[in-house]
Amino acid sequence: MRFLLTDEQREFGRSLDALLTAADTPAVLRAWAAGDHGPGRALWGRLADAGVFALAVPEAYGGVGPLPVEAAVACVELGRHAMPGPVAETLAAGVLLAGAGGPVAEEWLPGIASGAAVVSLTLEGYGPYAPDADAADAVFTVTGDELRLAPGPGEPSASADPARRLFRPEPGGAPVAKGPAIRAAARAAGDTAAFATAALALGCGEELLRATVAYVKQRTQFGVPVGSFQAVKHRLADTLLGLEFARPLLYGAAVELASEVSRPGAGTGSGSAAGSPGAGAAVAAAKVTAGEAGYAAARTALQLHGAIGYTEELDLAWWLRRARPLRDAWGTPSACRARVLAG
């Protein structure tokens, strides 16, 4: 398959890059990690104005989606800038609630599309933790064919990324929707969360590589830049190859998801994909490849930066801490490989 982004899609990515560059995301990350969500929520609103969160919400609820290709473009940029907050989870919640339909969709989807609502969630088969639940306006949980609104974020758990805190939502809460449609919507939401996380991981890896290349050009040893050493060149080339091999898998998964949305009978009745085995396998392939490539970029960046890579003062430390959690979130490498083989 030969796949190229359209001029409009590329311009969308460039506009998000400019918005996030002007926002000074390292400062936003530091505030978010310290429990001050104000700067992050303000930036979230600007991203919503640009249409990011409407990409997962059907037009009937104030969105423009589902548009998986555009969502991939957006999430790669958000990953490059290490945008804090439950980005993948909010996009997945848009798909989940659209599949659920009814009053819960009417209550929450317009807010997700507009940026007024930040949402986290947990799904069976993906672990019990909801990222950034303390900053979310709602935390949804799915058990079997029941969708519940958690009564609270619950207790925090240890996280390798201080700007991506994990919570085990408080149990209970009355079901807000139930039935077979919830199972189908949850499968589609899981695919969306894994897909968005793959794009975030790819963007994270791209920024780690960019920063590392810039650093080895200016760091000298024996009177020459260390970037001129053959071993360093090979390490950077391997890192670039890993990221470039992940990119077509990510956009291939986007095309597969888009096909699922448009296929007659594939949705749950509200404009969301049903999470078919074919789409799921494509998403899993993208997730494992992008996650591993992003993590490899982090290892390369840490090694070539040397001791400075460990310092809190270095902005790159936020990307270094994020790469492995993104690799393992919404489908570990082993789980994704198993799903690819099964699909």
Side-chain angles (χ1 to χ4, degrees):
M1 177 184 293
R2 183 173 183 269
F3 181 85
L4 292 174
L5 296 175
T6 65
D7 291 341
E8 290 80 6
Q9 289 164 342
R10 287 194 292 269
E11 181 57 33
F12 179 48
R14 286 192 291 267
S15 68
L16 293 178
D17 178 40
L19 186 159
L20 291 162
T21 299
D24 187 16
T25 50
V28 176
L29 280 163
R30 286 184 167 88
W32 191 275
D36 178 8
H37 301 132
R41 289 295 295 254
L43 180 54
W44 189 282
R46 294 199 291 275
L47 289 170
D49 290 341
V52 170
F53 301 106
L55 296 172
V57 177
E59 293 183 15
Y61 299 101
V64 296
L67 294 175
V69 177
E70 286 76 8
V73 171
C75 286
V76 168
E77 291 301 325
L78 297 183
R80 284 185 57 235
H81 291 273
M83 172 66 192
V87 171
E89 292 72 26
T90 296
L91 293 173
V95 172
L96 174 66
L97 298 179
V104 66
E106 294 172 0
E107 178 179 0
W108 288 100
L109 285 178
I112 289 175
S114 69
V118 177
V119 178
S120 192
L121 80 163
T122 65
L123 301 172
E124 278 188 313
Y126 290 99
Y129 298 114
D132 297 306
D134 61 329
D137 300 297
V139 180
F140 290 99
T141 64
V142 175
T143 304
D145 62 357
E146 289 189 342
L147 171 64
R148 296 175 181 266
L149 180 61
E155 293 297 320
S157 299
S159 173
D161 181 355
R164 189 177 184 274
R165 302 176 67 197
L166 301 177
F167 291 80
R168 187 187 291 267
E170 292 180 8
V176 293
K178 62 174 61 178
I182 300 302
R183 290 182 182 270
R187 288 194 299 271
D191 286 347
T192 300
F195 171 71
T197 303
L200 293 169
L202 178 61
C204 180
E206 288 181 347
E207 175 58 20
L208 285 162
L209 178 60
R210 184 209 61 79
T212 305
V213 169
Y215 180 72
V216 299
K217 286 181 179 179
Q218 67 180 16
R219 179 186 172 191
T220 60
Q221 196 171 35
F222 308 117
V224 297
V226 298
S228 65
F229 298 161
Q230 198 74 3
V232 172
K233 290 181 179 179
H234 286 171
R235 186 68 184 267
L236 292 170
D238 289 342
T239 302
L240 176 61
L241 282 173
L243 294 168
E244 289 302 316
F245 271 104
R247 192 183 316 280
L249 289 175
L250 175 69
Y251 286 112
V255 171
E256 188 73 29
L257 288 172
S259 298
E260 282 298 304
V261 172
S262 60
R263 181 170 61 84
T268 58
S270 302
S272 63
S276 73
V283 168
K287 175 64 172 59
V288 66
T289 309
E292 294 281 32
Y295 183 49
R299 297 202 313 270
T300 296
L302 185 58
Q303 181 179 14
L304 297 185
H305 275 80
I308 193 174
Y310 291 95
T311 62
E312 287 283 344
E313 292 77 15
L314 184 71
D315 288 343
L316 195 69
W318 296 96
W319 281 259
L320 290 170
R321 290 172 171 176
R322 180 151 295 193
R324 184 164 183 171
L326 288 176
R327 183 197 71 172
D328 296 338
W330 296 104
T332 62
S334 60
C336 289
R337 290 189 179 97
R339 192 173 186 190
V340 170
L341 291 173

